[in-house]
């Protein structure tokens, strides 16, 4: 039997080096088990990579996370790409990021087809009736999970509250909220460094995990050092990977074709929206439902419910949007509706996630040079706090559509409120998993659909 002293000695030594193949199997497994939206996926990665496997220290993990929170696009997938790149160079990042997405793409194509083909069946409708209130509770819980790490003092709480008021009451665009938070963080880091250093609440936790392969003081790997040549290669490769498919779509189908417009719209969604999946969804809703009419508001919420019940990044709801839009419009004719939907799902996934890989591969070396520099870390911490307020706003957005399905002029859905409160209680008080909550709420919705039929 090992003694406590021996155990401590083991923790003082970093684990054995990890090969790219070993990392491949881990990222593949993660692609199938990463439920719970961004907050849940980040928690899984923290538990697996920081606490259990000790591939990276918590300080370096959180620094990478704060950078990914700053970027437009899905922060959990970008974090996986960043960590894969840091450990195993460019191919490590591509493997980690791709395997985070591909399982959910294939699963969602299948579920989207079942939904659109059988969504009017009472059993399916009843299940979705119960899941929608659960989604509202899950988004609120995600805000709590992110906030528990980001809101370490009154300054961070104030930034989060201000961002909520700005986007909810004043309709301030999210990029402006991000820019303002970054300025506040920069100034705060200079004037009140102890409030913006991000160390509160983490120092004690770091000691219990032991030495990591990439520890707090591990020198930056050679491939992670900034190079103008590397940056130029990434920019040129990224431009070609976007221009070639977009050029082929435009030349063969025309600019106004549904596929071409989907590629263009989701490129903008990937580039112009910040704060990860929960922040990008209102933009997708506005464009896909309001502007293009690819799907209805109810279908959008149903798509989010499917995204919550499948592994992978929550922003994979874009695959649902693409599938439904192309399937319903019968872009290749009624007999090829499934092929059109599947192709659209794959296309919008490509255009949505391509920038995420480029941001990490191009910006990672710059970020690695700043993990001990307060003038860079303080703005990132402030931005993370601002994201919390935006996520709370999204919870309000979904609650409105769930509780007043016909608008404020219509009836208030008391049954949906009861399910929502039950889901909130299960998540916050009983610590149920996302899948337990979704399964229970789906069953309740099914029962209610039969009782009220």
């Amino acid at each position: 039997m090992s003694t406590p002293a021996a155990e401590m000695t083991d923790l003082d030594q970093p684990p054995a080096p990890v090969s790219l193949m070993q990392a491949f199997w881990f990222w593949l497994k993660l692609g199938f088990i990463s439920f719970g939206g961004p907050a849940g996926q980040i928690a899984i990665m923290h538990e697996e990579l920081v606490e259990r496997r000790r591939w990276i220290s918590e300080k370096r993990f959180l620094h990478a996370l704060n950078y990914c929170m700053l970027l437009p696009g899905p922060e959990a997938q970008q974090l996986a790409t960043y960590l894969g790149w840091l450990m195993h160079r460019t191919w490590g990042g591509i493997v980690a990021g791709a395997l985070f997405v591909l399982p959910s793409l294939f699963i969602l194509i299948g579920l989207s087809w079942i939904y659109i083909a059988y969504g009017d069946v009472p059993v399916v409708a009843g299940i979705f009736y119960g899941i929608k209130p659960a989604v509202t509770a899950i988004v609120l819980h995600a805000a709590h999970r992110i906030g528990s790490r980001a809101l370490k003092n009154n300054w961070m709480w104030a930034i989060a509250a201000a961002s909520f008021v700005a986007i909810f009451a004043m309709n301030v665009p999210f990029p402006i909220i991000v820019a303002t938070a970054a300025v506040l963080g920069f100034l705060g880091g200079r004037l009140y460094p102890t409030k913006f250093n991000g160390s509160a609440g983490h120092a004690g936790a770091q000691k219990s995990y032991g030495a990591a392969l990439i520890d707090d003081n591990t020198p930056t790997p050679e491939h992670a050092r900034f190079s103008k040549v590397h940056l130029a290669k990434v920019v040129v490769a990224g431009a070609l990977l976007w221009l070639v498919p977009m050029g082929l779509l435009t030349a063969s189908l025309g600019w106004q074709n549904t596929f071409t417009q989907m590629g263009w719209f989701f490129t903008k969604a990937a580039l112009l929206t910040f704060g990860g999946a929960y922040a990008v969804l209102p933009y997708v809703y506005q464009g896909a439902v309001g502007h293009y009419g690819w799907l209805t508001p109810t279908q959008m919420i149903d798509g989010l419910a499917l995204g919550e019940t499948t592994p992978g990044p929550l922003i994979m709801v874009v695959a649902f949007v693409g599938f439904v839009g192309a399937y319903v419009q019968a872009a290749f004719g009624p007999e090829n509706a499934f092929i059109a939907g599947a192709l659209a799902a794959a296309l919008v996934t490509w255009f949505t996630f391509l920038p995420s890989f480029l941001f990490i591969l191009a910006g990672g070396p710059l970020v690695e040079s700043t993990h001990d520099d307060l003038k860079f870390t303080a703005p990132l911490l402030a931005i993370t706090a601002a994201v919390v307020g935006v996520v709370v706003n999204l919870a309000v957005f979904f609650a409105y559509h769930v509780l007043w399905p016909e608008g404020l002029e219509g009836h208030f859905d008391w049954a949906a409120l009861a399910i929502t409160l039950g889901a909130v209680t299960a998540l916050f008080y009983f610590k149920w998993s996302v899948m337990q909550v979704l399964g229970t709420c789906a069953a309740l919705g099914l029962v209610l659909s039969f009782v009220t039929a």
Side-chain angles (χ1 to χ4, degrees):
M1 179 181 290
S2 61
T3 64
E7 292 175 2
M8 287 302 296
T9 301
D10 291 340
L11 288 177
D12 287 341
Q13 297 296 322
V18 178
S19 68
L20 178 58
M21 184 55 64
Q22 288 174 303
F24 173 91
W25 291 114
F26 167 76
W27 296 118
L28 179 62
K29 171 189 171 185
L30 183 67
F32 281 100
I33 67 170
S34 55
F35 293 92
Q41 292 149 5
I42 290 168
I44 291 172
M45 282 189 278
H46 185 275
E47 180 181 354
E48 288 284 339
L49 300 180
V50 177
E51 300 177 33
R52 194 164 78 84
R53 300 172 188 263
R54 293 187 287 134
W55 288 2
I56 189 169
S57 71
E58 179 163 278
K59 183 178 180 181
R60 299 286 281 265
F61 180 92
L62 290 175
H63 184 70
L65 173 59
N66 284 333
Y67 171 60
C68 296
M69 287 285 195
L70 166 66
L71 296 173
E75 70 268 27
Q77 186 267 349
Q78 289 167 333
L79 179 61
T81 305
Y82 189 108
L83 299 178
W85 162 80
L86 187 59
M87 294 189 65
H88 294 111
R89 310 172 68 92
T90 299
W91 274 111
I94 293 173
V95 166
L99 291 179
F100 200 83
V101 171
L102 288 178
S104 61
L105 172 61
F106 292 116
I107 293 171
L108 268 174
I109 287 175
L111 291 178
S112 298
W113 175 75
I114 293 172
Y115 170 83
I116 203 68
Y118 303 103
D120 291 332
V121 175
V123 171
V124 177
I127 289 173
F128 275 95
Y129 178 80
I131 286 179
K132 290 173 190 175
V135 169
T136 302
I138 290 167
V139 174
L140 184 62
H141 189 246
H144 176 264
R145 291 286 294 275
I146 300 171
S148 65
R149 288 191 173 275
L151 309 183
K152 296 300 182 181
N153 55 57
N154 291 337
W155 286 89
M156 298 299 140
W157 275 97
I159 291 173
S163 73
F164 173 78
V165 172
I167 197 167
F168 177 78
M170 305 169 66
N171 203 29
V172 176
F174 194 71
I176 294 178
I177 294 175
V178 169
T180 303
V183 171
L184 290 174
F186 177 78
L187 296 175
R190 294 176 66 89
L191 300 175
Y192 305 99
T194 59
K195 300 294 185 182
F196 286 80
N197 62 11
S199 62
H202 297 302
Q206 284 176 291
K207 295 178 182 177
S208 65
Y209 302 141
L213 276 175
I214 301 176
D215 219 334
D216 292 353
N217 300 316
T218 301
T220 301
E222 186 62 33
H223 72 273
R225 300 179 187 276
F226 178 73
S227 163
K228 291 182 180 178
V229 174
H230 171 78
L231 178 61
K233 289 180 179 178
V234 172
V235 171
V236 171
L240 290 174
L241 289 171
W242 185 86
L243 283 170
V244 170
M246 181 58 73
L248 290 174
L249 286 172
T250 304
S252 60
L253 301 176
W255 179 250
Q256 296 301 326
N257 183 269
T258 297
F259 289 95
T260 311
Q261 286 298 301
M262 283 183 174
W264 176 238
F265 172 73
F266 285 104
T267 296
K268 291 187 292 182
L271 292 173
L272 302 179
T273 52
F274 296 81
Y278 290 110
V280 73
L281 286 173
Y283 178 82
V284 173
Y285 175 92
Q286 183 183 40
V289 177
H291 180 70
Y292 291 103
W294 291 327
L295 68 175
T296 66
T298 298
Q299 288 174 331
M300 184 68 193
I301 299 177
D302 290 342
L304 179 59
L306 283 178
E308 289 281 12
T309 58
T310 54
L314 182 57
I315 195 58
M316 281 304 297
V317 67
V318 301
F320 174 86
V321 172
F323 185 96
V324 172
Y327 188 102
V328 172
Q329 295 186 14
F332 294 158
E335 67 281 2
N336 295 314
F338 176 82
I339 295 175
L343 178 59
L347 276 175
V348 301
T349 300
W350 174 267
F351 285 110
T352 299
F353 285 93
L354 176 61
S356 295
F357 286 94
L358 301 179
F359 287 136
I360 298 302
L361 298 178
L366 292 173
V367 176
E368 277 301 299
S369 67
T370 68
H371 62 81
D372 288 318
D373 193 335
L374 188 63
K375 68 175 178 288
F376 290 100
T377 58
L380 293 178
L381 289 170
I383 289 168
T384 305
V387 167
V388 176
V390 174
V391 176
V392 172
N393 172 70
L394 189 64
V396 174
F397 173 83
F398 284 124
Y400 167 76
H401 286 281
V402 168
L403 301 179
W404 286 276
E406 300 169 1
L408 290 177
E409 298 79 13
H411 75 283
F412 182 85
D413 195 331
W414 291 99
L417 176 63
I419 296 175
T420 303
L421 294 177
V424 168
T425 303
L427 287 166
F428 283 88
Y429 184 76
F430 293 106
K431 310 299 182 185
W432 283 17
S433 70
V434 168
M435 294 308 296
Q436 286 176 307
V437 171
L438 286 169
T440 303
C441 291
L444 286 173
L446 187 59
V447 171
L448 284 173
S449 68
F450 284 111
V451 170
T452 58

